Amino acid sequence: MGYGFLQYQTAEAAQKALRQLQHCMVDDHQLEVKISERATRTAEVSHKKKQAENKQTGSKILVRNVPFQATVREIRELFCTFGELKTVRLPKKAAGSGNHRGFAFVDFLTKQDAKKAFAALCHSTHLYGRRLVLEWADAEDTVETLRQKTAEHFHGDLPKKRRKADVMEGILESMETDGGVED
């Protein structure tokens, strides 16, 4: 492409490289070295949302942002290098579609293995070009609780959608107390 980027730990190191490499010859081409405009915007330091390394609650890791072409086998291969796995689940979308929902649960046999995997993979692990987001799964994390968390994240404090079973139970209860159901 004719250009490249280097990142240095300190501004001083970048300035030193600028002075030493300016007009240097590489493969019969004279280098023109500049400080990147992006690098000079120090006020806008990258505030990427750091992955919350919240407290470990068990041996189960929730993996978000899983690419849709990924398989259980690929997820298993990625995590099995850190210890013995109990289960790897990739919850499916509505019946019949065959696609998974874009997240997975990886459960290790021991908390120590889970901790090793989390520490190694939580910072910048990519699968099919997508960055995997790791969180400690709550012991009771199910598809329903994840749905609820996602809805709360995107919709704030809107009233939660009632489950069909709860609605039906309420109707039956009201029918029984109103004498609408005969025994």
Side-chain angles (χ1 to χ4, degrees):
M1 297 292 289
Y3 63 91
F5 293 92
L6 295 174
Q7 185 173 355
Y8 290 89
Q9 291 284 14
T10 64
E12 295 79 30
Q15 289 297 333
K16 182 178 177 184
L18 183 74
R19 287 189 303 273
Q20 290 180 347
L21 297 175
Q22 191 64 266
H23 306 297
C24 188
M25 296 295 284
V26 174
D27 292 336
D28 297 325
H29 294 289
Q30 186 177 18
L31 294 182
E32 181 183 338
V33 184
K34 300 184 215 176
I35 298 290
S36 164
E37 286 181 33
R38 182 174 168 216
T40 58
R41 287 187 249 142
T42 54
E44 296 176 32
V45 175
S46 176
H47 289 293
K48 270 188 186 175
K49 186 177 178 184
K50 295 285 183 200
Q51 259 181 264
E53 287 193 40
N54 52 352
K55 293 286 183 195
Q56 181 178 0
T57 56
S59 61
K60 188 185 286 187
I61 299 172
L62 167 62
V63 184
R64 294 183 189 267
N65 203 30
V66 175
F68 293 112
Q69 64 264 43
T71 64
V72 171
R73 184 171 167 232
E74 291 169 325
I75 302 291
R76 182 178 298 280
E77 286 174 3
L78 180 64
F79 284 87
C80 74
T81 58
F82 298 98
E84 199 168 340
L85 298 173
K86 200 184 306 181
T87 59
V88 175
R89 291 190 311 118
L90 208 52
K92 299 276 185 200
K93 286 185 180 176
S97 70
N99 292 335
H100 65 81
R101 299 176 56 90
F103 62 88
F105 293 104
V106 179
D107 199 358
F108 284 86
L109 278 180
T110 66
K111 285 185 176 185
Q112 293 82 9
D113 290 344
K115 190 174 191 172
K116 282 192 301 187
F118 191 94
L121 300 174
C122 76
H123 298 293
S124 187
T125 300
H126 289 74
L127 185 61
Y128 290 109
R130 294 186 70 156
R131 183 174 176 268
L132 299 179
V133 178
L134 275 57
E135 298 174 17
W136 290 109
D138 294 337
E140 72 282 348
D141 258 352
T142 62
V143 172
E144 192 59 41
T145 57
L146 282 173
R147 243 185 232 144
Q148 208 168 23
K149 282 182 186 177
T150 303
E152 288 170 7
H153 174 74
F154 285 106
H155 304 296
D157 294 330
L158 294 177
K160 291 181 180 67
K161 197 173 177 182
R162 292 175 63 194
R163 288 185 18 215
K164 191 187 298 184
D166 294 340
V167 172
M168 289 302 293
E169 190 176 305
I171 292 170
L172 288 174
E173 236 174 69
S174 68
M175 288 173 70
E176 287 172 0
T177 55
D178 295 340
V181 174
E182 294 179 287
D183 289 330

